[in-house]
Amino acid sequence: MKPAAFDYIRADSAEEVVQLLAEYGDDARILAGGQSLIAALNMRLAQPRVLIDISCVADLSRIRVGNKNLTVGAAVTQAVAEKVVQDSNNIPLLAQAFPHLGHFQTRNRGTVCGSIAHADPSAELPLCLVTLGGAVNLRSWRRRRRVAASEFFRGVLTTARETNELVESVEFPMPKKQARYGFVEVSMRHGDFALVALAGAVSDQGVRLGVGGVADRPWVETLPTTSGDDLDAALEDLAWKLDARSDQHASARYRRHLVRNLGRKLITELSS
Amino acid sequence: MKRLRHTRHTVAIRLNGIDRTGECEPRTLLSDFLRYELGATGVHVGCEHGVCGACTVTVDGLAQRSCLTLAVVADGREVRTAEGLAPEPGVLSELQAAFRRHHALQCGFCTPGILMSCADFLARVARPSEPDVRQMLSGHLCRCTGYSNIVSAILEVASGNEDSPDA
Amino acid sequence: MNDPSTPVRPTAWVGQSIERREDVALLTGTGRYADDLGTRPGTLHAAFLRSPHAHARIKSIDVSRALAHEGVRCVLAGADVRSWARPFVVGVKQPMEHWCIAVDKARYVGEPVAVLVAQDRYIAEDAIDLIHVEYEPIDAIVDSETAIAPDAPVLHEAVGSNVVSNRQFVYGEPDAALDAAPHRVKIKIRYPRNSCTPIETYVVVAEHGSEGDYDVLSNFMGPFSLQAVMALALQVPAAKLRLRTPRDGGGSFGVKQGVFPYIVALCLAARKAQAPVKWVEDRLEHLVASTSSTGRISELEAAVDSNGRISALAYDQLDDCGAYLRAPEPATLYRMHGCLTGAYDIPNLKVRNRVVLTNKTPAGLVRGFGGPQVYFALERLVQRIAVELQLDPLEVYKRNFIGAGDFPFRTAAGALIDSGDYHATLQLAGQRGDLAELVEKRDAARAEGRLYGIGYAAIVEPSISNMGYITTVMTKEARAKAGPKNGAITSATVSIDLLGAVTVSVASVPHGQGHITALSQVAADVFGLNPIDIIVDVELDTRKDAWSVAEGNYSSRFAGAVAGTVHLAACRLRDKLARIAAAQLRCDHADIVFADHKVFARTAPAEALSFPRLASGPHWAPGVLPDGVSPGLQETAIWTPEQLVPPDENDRINTSGTYGFAFDICALEIERDSGKVRIDRYVTAHDAGTLLNPALADGQIRGGFAQALGAALMEEFAYRPDGSFASGTFADYLVPTAVEIPEPVIAHMQTPSPFTPLGAKGIGEGNSMSTPVCIANAIADALGPAVDPQAIELPMTPSRIIELIAPAEQRPQHIAPPPQGDGKHFATSGSVNIAAPVEEIFRVLHDPEQLASLIPGCRKLHVASDNRYIADIALSVGLVNVSFHADISVVDEEPMRRMRLFGKGSGALGAAEGDGRITLTELPDGTRLDYEYKVSLSGKIVAVGARMIESATGVVLKQLFSRLGRVAGHKASGAARWQGLLRLIGLGKPGSQERR
């Protein structure tokens, strides 16, 4: 398990990164924290010609807690973001989700944007981003564009990002007043990818339930109510329509069971 | 911008307080560079995909998987491994001594990685609870001990951890 | 005191939990593991090419591109192996050929097909992908019950069947007892394939010498009988295969046995390369292809009276040994043969043992070896007896246990169980674990509707295997012909150096158990020294060490056999010193005392000699030794338990030298919402005879417990029905972490063995045997009697539990049913609307240039024959990219309406096959295209990506058909959409090569 050969470029600015992407396109991969990429290189699941290391790019290393959004730059590690979230004491969904995210040793290197760009359907951060209705800022040599999280994730490991684009930053909306947020995850072991992860946001405006680990992408559903038969029926529908798959760890039926039961439990807790 | 072709290059790191240089390709994993180029065989390789934790080292003080780090990325940084933990030859650090006292290791293959995670963890968390310690350890697989003696050893050291920044 | 036949107890050091001698090096990163020892200049590095197919004929191997790669020295393939080696000998007489790498046929995913030797490992892996192998896949057999069907594909044609051994045994009158019994209780179980996955993988450095000899440094757990198996395969005398192992081993648990075929392959590779060759197994290789526990299906029936007293057992055991019967298999069946009646006094027994081969990794030693399989059936049965007869399980235990006064006890199948007090151990477990409180908690929880259960397990833990037990697989006639095999021969050498220090040398090949520490305690006691004074050499060199056929790290033989033999050797040397001292001190040698680094006469302690002074003397003045004392200060003791004789004419066999005991209690709760199991308390009470170092013993218990909890709840080598392997990473083979492992309550009894020199027995494997079934029994108790007992299957994952307890579900009518695979393939389907007439779509699909533009990642496509194409494809899904050669054909089934688009391909990441049907339906403004695909994938891509592979395949197919829509639609709609399409799909001109 050793990587195939590649050229290595350590970029000093975002400008350089997008120029390099314009030059190499799909022949290049962005190396931010490398916690998924280098594992894939070691297994030779990826054999890019060029790695563009963005970990030292200062203008991508910014994280900002604003009034509307928590904006996280492409080189910001999960550990740094976790600390900011903990210190701000005001970003409840992410605060609950971070401890599930791999292990502190991988959060020390892994980046927030890397996890978003990788689009693993069981990963926690993409789930939080869609549940909160966040956005992804993409930048290419020619343009910048902002894509809503709900549009960004297209399927397993597949996103709206073009090969010449960099996920420059992501925006997690700050919590709404009066809204309550909750995150639950069932995994086989602590720190594993979720068998099912649920992220809930309950406010006067309604109930949003995000589901990870079931469909081919993180999914968010607006539910009609917070209790009763209508909620049960909506959850039943949701459980089925995500087209759950069976794998060696859990059956499709098990995943549907968790969506129904933990979904109801989470929403009930958030609305009580 | 720094461009390195896929051939061999010089990488310089500060390893356990000593400036060291070696040759490697961009694709060389930090784990291989430390072991085979610099002779730091206390870095153990158990999975090469970031799950088992045996290869954990600290880079600029942060515990991380050396199998998921390229040596060229560590260029110019400060790397510590289990070889650098003892305060002087023949004397174990407090944590190492606690591991020994608690029979917290058997085959010892996962141990150096765990010690390096602890080095980072105990520097940030002054008085960890048992669940805190177990969560930190969940980034390491140990097949011999069943973990409980490792947990006891770490908790014992943490309980005397007065000088920690968070204390 | 000087009589070595009288064990010296109690003693100063044995029995103390002293700190380990091993730890300072291991804690400071200065351990000496196999990969740390350095190699000769010029050493090359190997990588293995492995089969992506579970079952395939190897048609041809083309290594030319690999050999042309810079830095590559050579490739070892089947033809070389045929000319230089022989197949491994197997334990049953069957015409099976197991070579060190596949020669004509690959029989499991990951089976080595070639060894490539290059300058370094990175280059070796670059070049391995350049070897082209042409395979002809054959149907694979994964399930052992399917494998025994008469029409099943056969792995080894010369055998003619997948059943390679079938033996029946009868002891006493089991049929009469079953017929007469008021109750017959029966259970069927499946034990999964799993492993202990040491964190250090296999390491081998092999060299071919000028005299045709081989020199190997590895982390093999033997020499064991397998040294001879390897030498025979290499066609050299045993002495020409030198095996060395380093001081430190990174965990074995039996698993390091599986390195031996690689040792042979690398010896041959070194011979071909004419240079030393090193190989470090990677984790993917280890999980997919190193070894596994033996999967088993057992049907077990008991004859029981109304009090729960068992009078007979009938076993039908079907072992899945994987693709080859690799030595010492089928030992998993026979190691436990003597104690198939467990901890119970059951006079009547019958057994049918069948061994079946399937397209999986060969089985081998895994901690507990045979025990987990037997006890999973036997102890589940005891739980069922209690349930069916409505008895307290503890009563069933008490009524059937071998009585404390009955030891040594000869079991029905011939084991001579040396010592124990099972009733007292059960009592101890209940007290130490506060069973009464657990029962109260269970009652309270159940009253609230919670799922709380208590399980038990009683196991007899054999240690020090009889080398003859495996011959029980042969008939007595075959045994007579082959000659007797028996014993558990063990050697130890104790010597004194020029300055009077003691060195102990053993061939025990430790992997973390603390042999150095324990042996220094044993020797320190004998010589009146401190453990720190004793040098213990555990490095093995088969050229120099005293060793024999049973030597190595397995069957928990350390405490009983190795430490005992060290004690014997030390006593002999001490006896010699006592005679020398007696001459100097002018007393009888029987009165000499060794204590506190001094040697003196019991009657005159003041007139003491210093130990080093006395002990070094004979080196310097061998001419003045007392009469009858020979020169030299080195004693090698060789011991074998006399109780270990070959199987008798009635197939009775004392399978092990000594037998420990464990009684476990598990209380747990199952979360109804998630199916997760929370262990409330786990109690494990052991009797392993004399404990040499209780902390080391507890370490074995905790470690065994943790592995067994993994086996019970999460670990499994998962094979898909087509034989592809889905547990190739530590993200999919789930080893429990510190969060999942609770701290067990440990209790000890010490009933010394009368058969081992120090009274010690093995302790390292007990929990591998007791814990999986104890947890399963607790889960069965929590779920209640309504749940089918056969459905309690390991690992008991949350998903499996929910499948048993969740209410039935029904798909709402408006949700379409998902496509159904046929087991061996998975299905995916979809539909696209295309703004083009049916004819245009047909035309595009039959035009090679257009076809090339449709296939995602197609870089080159040429026409092989009518409607058949060969293509080079490089697919990207996210950060993953996969390159492969594909063979694509288009078959019209109904012109303008239905067609098949079939493709198969292979590349470095594995093999894929897709068979799809496309149906076209005319719409007012175009065409609707429906596709239904059956896809099978095998090899590395499944091993590392099983979780996402199906979705990813769906993504690729969706890409293909939406491109078809664009290309055909573009043709139809003319120039207006031309620019837009170009931008959208990045096409230069139709048919150009694209990547996306």
Side-chain angles (χ1 to χ4, degrees), chain C residues 802-884:
Chain C
I802 289 298
E803 295 280 344
L804 296 177
I805 59 170
E809 57 173 1
Q810 202 176 0
R811 190 177 50 249
Q813 285 188 338
H814 63 276
I815 304 271
Q820 290 295 313
D822 61 2
K824 298 211 171 185
H825 303 82
F826 64 89
T828 180
S829 63
S831 85
V832 287
N833 286 349
I834 299 173
V838 170
E839 296 75 23
E840 179 59 21
I841 296 171
F842 240 75
R843 203 192 59 69
V844 167
L845 285 171
H846 288 83
D847 174 342
E849 270 207 1
Q850 304 267 11
L851 194 61
S853 75
L854 299 181
I855 297 169
C858 182
R859 300 194 162 188
K860 217 173 14 187
L861 182 135
H862 73 262
V863 181
S865 61
D866 232 14
N867 286 329
R868 190 160 156 251
Y869 312 97
I870 304 295
D872 277 350
I873 295 174
L875 281 175
S876 278
V877 177
L879 64 76
V880 175
N881 45 29
V882 184
S883 300
F884 56 96

Side-chain angles (χ1 to χ4, degrees), chain C residues 299-351:
Chain C
E299 289 184 56
L300 174 59
E301 187 173 20
V304 192
D305 76 11
S306 301
N307 292 321
R309 179 84 183 94
I310 306 166
S311 57
L313 289 177
Y315 277 94
D316 189 355
Q317 307 189 106
L318 181 63
D319 264 21
D320 173 0
C321 281
Y324 299 94
L325 204 59
R326 184 175 63 185
E329 287 299 293
T332 304
L333 274 173
Y334 291 93
R335 181 200 188 188
M336 299 302 294
H337 195 79
C339 43
L340 283 173
T341 42
Y344 315 114
D345 178 355
I346 302 172
N348 305 300
L349 171 70
K350 71 172 183 178
V351 186

Side-chain angles (χ1 to χ4, degrees), chain C residues 164-249:
Chain C
V164 295
S165 171
N166 185 346
R167 282 278 280 144
Q168 299 193 40
F169 304 91
V170 175
Y171 304 100
E173 296 185 348
D175 288 328
L178 283 160
D179 288 343
H183 302 278
R184 289 168 76 147
V185 180
K186 203 171 175 174
I187 191 157
K188 181 175 180 182
I189 62 98
R190 285 171 176 270
Y191 190 83
R193 289 168 71 91
N194 54 37
S195 171
C196 302
T197 63
I199 304 301
E200 180 203 42
T201 54
Y202 296 163
V203 179
V204 179
V205 186
E207 191 172 345
H208 186 227
S210 57
E211 296 192 329
D213 55 321
Y214 294 100
D215 189 324
V216 176
L217 172 80
S218 75
N219 50 12
F220 179 50
M221 49 50 84
F224 190 26
S225 53
L226 297 174
Q227 198 265 354
V229 171
M230 290 183 253
L232 287 169
L234 287 166
Q235 308 191 91
V236 293
K240 285 197 166 183
L241 171 59
R242 179 190 193 184
L243 298 181
R244 293 177 293 123
T245 59
R247 182 188 67 194
D248 298 315

Side-chain angles (χ1 to χ4, degrees), chain B residues 125-139:
Chain B
V125 185
R127 294 211 173 264
S129 64
E130 181 174 332
D132 291 341
V133 169
R134 286 186 178 268
Q135 281 197 18
M136 178 276 289
L137 278 177
S138 73

